[in-house]
Amino acid sequence: MPSEFFNTSEVLEAILETIDEGIHVIDPKGQTIFYNGVAANHDGMKRSEVLGKPLLEAFPSLNHKSSTLLRVIKSEKPIYNYSQSYVNAHGRIIETLNTTLPIYVDGFMIGAIEIAKDYSSLKQLSERLADLESSLKTIKSPERKKPANGGLYSFTEILTNDSEFKGLISQGKKAARSSSSVLVYGESGVGKELFVQSIHQDSSRGKEPFIAQNCAALPESLLESLLFGTAKGSYTGAVERQGLFELANGGTLFLDELQSMPIDLQAKLLRVLEDGFIRRIGGTKSVQVDVRIMAAMNIDPKKAVSENRLRPDLFYRLNVLSYELPPLRERIDDIELLSEHFISIFNSKLGLSIKGMDEKTKVFFRKYHWPGNVRELKHTIEFMMNHTENDVLSLEDLPQFLKKPTPSEKILPLREAMIEMETKLITEALLQTKGNVFQASKLLQIPRQTLQYKIKKHI
């Protein structure tokens, strides 16, 4: 059908209907003017029960203080990642995680929009994760094996010819003799978790649990309940549940991307570091835990402090044993060593017999910037080995975004060049995050839905 048959409002409504999150829009008087199918499904309502009606009539359990939409209409200020629990018109308890924003046109507020996630599903996911961690802890093993067999890494498995990195390994071995907290920082893909696992393995806690949690993976309320556990009745349907601190008792709790942990939650982490006691969400009893905290960040901690992403007191508490891992581009001698190692690994996994790389490829690898560091190198080798037709890897086997145009090639039209660059950046982000679209969207600083659309369109 020709585009002139569509008007802007129809296109906008069609777009909002395709988004996989609940969208609810009200006017300044609190009347619903848009309500997509996902929102209706989350709320357990029919769209006809909400559209065109005052918000408090459709959701009688809410009021002007408990409704995030009405609060934004009154304050004209956004509310981000707010967990809301209410009863719908049919008596069903609804739990959502909302971001609510005022809508302005020509400087005047014309309403508010709420983007809602199904909080119940997220909560169940975090609880299943906690249950899984608990079940894993009950599996007794006298000796941890190599990563291929489900265990953890050790210092003997960190390959390097770099003198600076060898010095860091030596310092890490000394840190293993201590019980102090550890802070490791460096770019994504340099091997921070591998390093802290090795410290744990070398320590007296080596046969006790090592539990890792990415602080950027969950909203604040879920992260808090996952870390500290929950008491029965702390929220609707809550049961007594151990958190990761209790599950890691006697061992190590590794907190990745610490700068993504909300500031208020960082204060609670600091208290645990100071006195060794935790309290479950909604509980009254404090429990003592013996847990070594190791944390990692992909930015300089001092920068995180200056940007108010890391509490200064928490930084000073963690900075007793801190290590900055160098990026791969500063470890030139390790590039060929690691490439040979990954070729050996994928020969075994893929049933191949690749002998190595030709000289031009080795030179290219040494000159390339490797923004994704060791992780990017590993995925690049895996790609090349899956696509090569020869027994030696060459430049022809590189992923398309790594291939440099030759001087004889024509200059691309600007639109094509922009699409090519966009595809390259998206591919690099997906390589760095192991295909995690949410984490890749954060790296690229674009909405997840936008990234999903671009992946379908270009990749």
Side-chain angles (χ1 to χ4, degrees):
M1 185 178 293
S3 60
E4 59 264 24
F5 287 97
F6 296 101
N7 60 43
T8 303
S9 61
E10 288 176 335
V11 173
L12 178 59
E13 184 169 344
I15 291 171
L16 293 176
E17 282 296 339
T18 63
I19 293 174
D20 63 350
E21 292 175 342
I23 307 292
H24 191 166
V25 183
I26 63 171
D27 64 17
K29 295 181 179 180
Q31 185 165 301
T32 297
I33 56 176
F34 183 83
Y35 189 66
N36 73 353
V38 176
N41 185 55
H42 285 176
D43 295 337
M45 300 283 284
K46 296 177 181 178
R47 297 176 70 180
S48 59
E49 296 175 310
V50 180
L51 266 174
K53 294 182 171 57
L55 182 72
L56 297 185
E57 179 183 315
F59 299 95
S61 70
L62 294 175
N63 55 46
H64 284 85
K65 289 185 178 180
S66 60
S67 165
T68 45
L69 277 165
L70 294 177
R71 283 165 56 190
V72 167
I73 288 290
K74 182 178 181 180
S75 69
E76 299 190 20
K77 294 179 180 179
I79 298 173
Y80 296 99
N81 295 324
Y82 183 84
S83 57
Q84 189 171 36
S85 180
Y86 52 94
V87 179
N88 72 5
H90 306 293
R92 175 180 157 192
I93 297 172
I94 306 298
E95 293 174 299
T96 56
L97 187 72
N98 306 332
T99 289
T100 314
L101 310 166
I103 305 172
Y104 291 96
V105 173
D106 295 329
F108 294 95
M109 189 184 70
I110 62 165
I113 181 171
E114 186 158 87
I115 302 97
K117 295 182 177 69
D118 186 353
Y119 185 51
S120 304
S121 299
L122 287 170
K123 185 187 295 181
Q124 290 169 8
L125 178 63
S126 70
E127 290 176 350
R128 286 199 297 270
L129 177 59
D131 288 340
L132 177 61
E133 294 280 9
S134 180
S135 65
L136 289 174
K137 187 182 176 186
T138 63
I139 301 173
K140 302 296 183 180
S141 175
E143 182 180 350
R144 292 192 183 263
K145 298 179 180 179
K146 292 186 176 182
N149 296 323
L152 303 176
Y153 287 96
S154 64
F155 284 118
T156 59
E157 291 161 296
I158 300 179
L159 304 179
T160 184
N161 287 325
D162 183 77
S163 57
E164 180 185 351
F165 205 22
K166 286 180 178 179
L168 286 171
I169 291 171
S170 178
Q171 293 176 36
K173 290 178 178 178
K174 293 177 182 176
R177 302 199 293 264
S178 168
S179 290
S180 298
S181 302
V182 172
L183 177 62
V184 179
Y185 60 100
E187 296 176 7
S188 295
V190 295
K192 297 184 290 292
E193 183 165 355
L194 186 154
F195 192 79
V196 297
Q197 282 187 13
S198 299
I199 294 175
H200 170 82
Q201 284 285 73
D202 248 31
S203 74
S204 59
R205 300 171 182 262
K207 293 182 181 179
E208 299 301 325
F210 176 93
I211 294 178
Q213 175 60 42
N214 189 309
C215 298
L218 294 170
E220 179 177 1
S221 55
L222 289 184
L223 180 59
E224 183 177 5
S225 63
L226 186 61
L227 290 173
F228 293 95
T230 56
K232 187 175 182 179
S234 56
Y235 57 82
T236 304
V239 297
E240 290 289 339
R241 188 182 302 276
Q242 288 183 317
L244 298 186
F245 276 106
E246 290 180 78
L247 294 172
N249 195 33
T252 299
L253 178 59
F254 171 53
L255 300 174
D256 198 8
E257 295 195 56
L258 181 67
Q259 78 280 358
S260 298
M261 179 182 286
I263 292 293
D264 290 344
L265 193 50
Q266 289 183 26
K268 296 181 180 181
L269 171 62
L270 180 62
R271 284 200 295 273
V272 179
L273 286 167
E274 295 290 354
D275 60 27
F277 284 88
I278 62 104
R279 183 182 297 173
R280 294 181 184 178
I281 305 302
T284 57
K285 180 182 176 183
S286 293
V287 178
Q288 188 170 18
V289 290
D290 172 25
V291 177
R292 185 178 193 183
I293 300 296
M294 297 191 193
M297 302 174 61
N298 53 22
I299 64 171
D300 189 306
K302 292 180 181 177
K303 180 182 179 183
V305 170
S306 69
E307 294 176 350
N308 297 317
R309 299 169 67 185
L310 180 68
R311 289 177 61 102
D313 46 7
L314 180 58
F315 167 61
Y316 297 130
R317 182 66 177 77
L318 290 171
N319 201 41
V320 179
L321 295 173
S322 64
Y323 307 95
E324 181 180 9
L325 303 191
L328 184 57
R329 62 183 172 274
E330 295 178 7
R331 298 159 47 194
I332 300 297
D333 292 339
D334 284 349
I335 294 175
E336 190 171 341
L337 172 68
L338 290 168
S339 296
E340 292 172 353
H341 173 66
F342 293 138
I343 289 172
S344 175
I345 287 176
F346 291 118
N347 270 335
S348 178
K349 282 187 176 182
L350 303 173
L352 301 174
S353 54
I354 303 298
K355 297 176 182 177
M357 303 182 295
D358 64 21
E359 288 304 316
K360 288 184 179 180
T361 305
K362 290 178 183 178
V363 170
F364 174 82
F365 273 29
R366 290 177 70 88
K367 290 183 177 180
Y368 180 61
H369 191 65
W370 296 112
N373 293 291
V374 179
R375 184 183 295 131
E376 183 183 4
L377 174 63
K378 180 179 180 181
H379 290 307
T380 299
I381 294 290
E382 183 178 8
F383 176 92
M384 295 173 75
M385 292 182 66
N386 272 289
H387 288 80
T388 187
E389 298 292 337
N390 305 304
D391 59 359
V392 175
L393 299 180
S394 69
L395 294 177
E396 292 300 314
D397 302 316
L398 286 170
Q400 188 62 42
F401 72 88
L402 285 181
K403 293 179 179 178
K404 294 183 178 179
T406 63
S408 61
E409 291 182 12
K410 293 181 180 180
I411 295 177
L412 290 174
L414 181 59
R415 181 177 176 81
E416 289 182 31
M418 290 175 67
I419 291 173
E420 185 174 300
M421 177 56 70
E422 188 174 76
T423 303
K424 175 182 177 181
L425 292 172
I426 290 172
T427 306
E428 287 185 3
L430 290 170
L431 282 172
Q432 286 192 39
T433 60
K434 300 181 180 179
N436 187 310
V437 175
F438 175 72
Q439 294 297 332
S441 69
K442 292 185 66 177
L443 270 181
L444 295 167
Q445 297 184 18
I446 60 175
R448 175 171 56 83
Q449 292 88 350
T450 301
L451 178 57
Q452 287 174 325
Y453 169 77
K454 291 180 180 295
I455 290 172
K456 290 178 181 177
K457 185 176 180 182
H458 299 317
I459 298 178

